[in-house]
Amino acid sequence: MIINILAGGPEELLPELADYKEENAIWVGVDRGVFHLLNRNIKPVIAFGDFDSVSQEELSLIESQVAELKRYKPEKNETDMELALNWAIEQKPSIIRMFGATGGRLDHFLANVHLLLVPLKAKNPAIVYLIDHQNIVFLKEPGSYTIEKMNSKKYISFLPLTLNVSDITLKGFKFPLKNQHISLGSTLCISNELISDYGTFSFSKGILIVIRSHD
């Protein structure tokens, strides 16, 4: 099962959502993102939010179209996206995608990047992706991974999320590395590219942010 979550970030930054409508995918709306989904004829199975970013007319439409609406007061300990992500993790999907979670307020964007840690801390196997029209962002724990070339997003960057990332090795890349140590604040692994259809990256300690992007 795949769970797609759409938040209320700037609509112009959304990818083409039709590309993510697999048969085994279900949709979740967050705040104004629910309205964006309904405008694209996508009905979420559940919605979360305080809905302070929609008009009364838009809220009436949401209430009439969404069977399960989780409405909260603005004063709460979790963001609307965190509530939706926690619900999604409980469903035990293989993949969770978060859309509408970039752009706009920087505090919201950075909080959403940090939310990628939630399944890792919970030892949940779901892979969580943060996706907009220009970027795909995800986290990796220590290990060895194969990564496939994407012509639509040729740049691949690796950033440490933890204080240190040890023994990072890149093979099949334009700028290869072997057992390199990088620390928080390092820009050594920005804007790399694959030179063949596949490459590998590995490291022994820390957490990496992986970003696939295009200009």
Side-chain angles (χ1 to χ4, degrees):
M1 178 174 59
I2 298 171
I3 297 181
N4 295 325
I5 305 173
L6 180 60
E11 197 169 6
E12 63 271 16
L13 298 184
L14 294 178
E16 180 52 64
L17 297 183
D19 294 340
Y20 299 93
K21 292 174 67 175
E22 300 96 336
E23 285 187 9
N24 63 334
I26 65 173
W27 290 83
V28 176
V30 175
D31 208 74
R32 188 166 182 79
V34 188
F35 185 68
H36 294 330
L37 284 175
L38 295 176
N39 275 344
R40 290 167 172 77
N41 295 314
I42 301 173
K43 186 173 290 190
V45 298
I46 190 170
F48 296 83
D50 51 41
F51 298 100
D52 58 356
S53 62
V54 298
S55 68
Q56 187 56 52
E57 182 180 359
E58 291 166 343
L59 180 58
S60 296
L61 174 66
I62 290 169
E63 290 174 333
S64 68
Q65 293 293 315
V66 180
E68 190 169 359
L69 193 63
K70 301 288 188 180
R71 193 171 180 184
Y72 301 85
K73 293 180 179 180
E75 301 81 13
K76 57 187 182 301
N77 293 329
E78 304 89 356
T79 64
D80 295 335
M81 177 59 93
E82 184 176 2
L83 291 166
L85 179 59
N86 288 338
W87 177 89
I89 289 171
E90 290 174 359
Q91 312 313 306
K92 303 187 183 306
S94 57
I95 293 172
I96 299 172
R97 304 182 184 120
M98 299 193 300
F99 305 97
T102 63
R105 286 175 51 174
L106 282 176
D107 56 342
H108 286 176
F109 168 63
L110 289 173
N112 289 332
V113 171
H114 285 184
L115 283 180
L116 297 175
L117 283 166
V118 172
L120 298 186
K121 291 191 295 184
K123 303 299 182 183
N124 189 289
I127 303 173
V128 184
Y129 297 95
L130 189 63
I131 302 173
D132 63 23
H133 79 295
Q134 195 171 0
N135 309 280
I136 300 173
V137 184
F138 55 97
L139 303 184
K140 284 297 183 183
E141 294 184 290
S144 182
Y145 305 95
T146 299
I147 190 164
E148 185 177 2
K149 189 173 187 177
M150 292 178 63
N151 292 327
S152 62
K153 291 180 175 59
K154 69 175 185 177
Y155 299 114
I156 306 174
S157 297
F158 301 93
L159 289 167
L161 185 61
T162 49
L163 188 60
N164 297 296
V165 171
S166 301
D167 302 316
I168 183 167
T169 296
L170 307 178
K171 296 180 181 179
F173 285 81
K174 184 177 181 179
F175 306 106
L177 288 175
K178 184 175 181 180
N179 297 331
Q180 181 70 47
H181 174 84
I182 59 175
S183 57
L184 200 62
S186 171
T187 59
L188 176 66
C189 299
I190 295 292
S191 296
N192 214 327
E193 300 176 44
L194 289 170
I195 57 176
S196 56
D197 289 340
Y198 294 90
T200 62
F201 67 95
S202 62
F203 60 106
S204 64
K205 180 182 178 181
I207 298 176
L208 271 181
I209 305 174
V210 184
I211 304 173
R212 311 201 65 166
S213 55
H214 66 82
D215 288 324

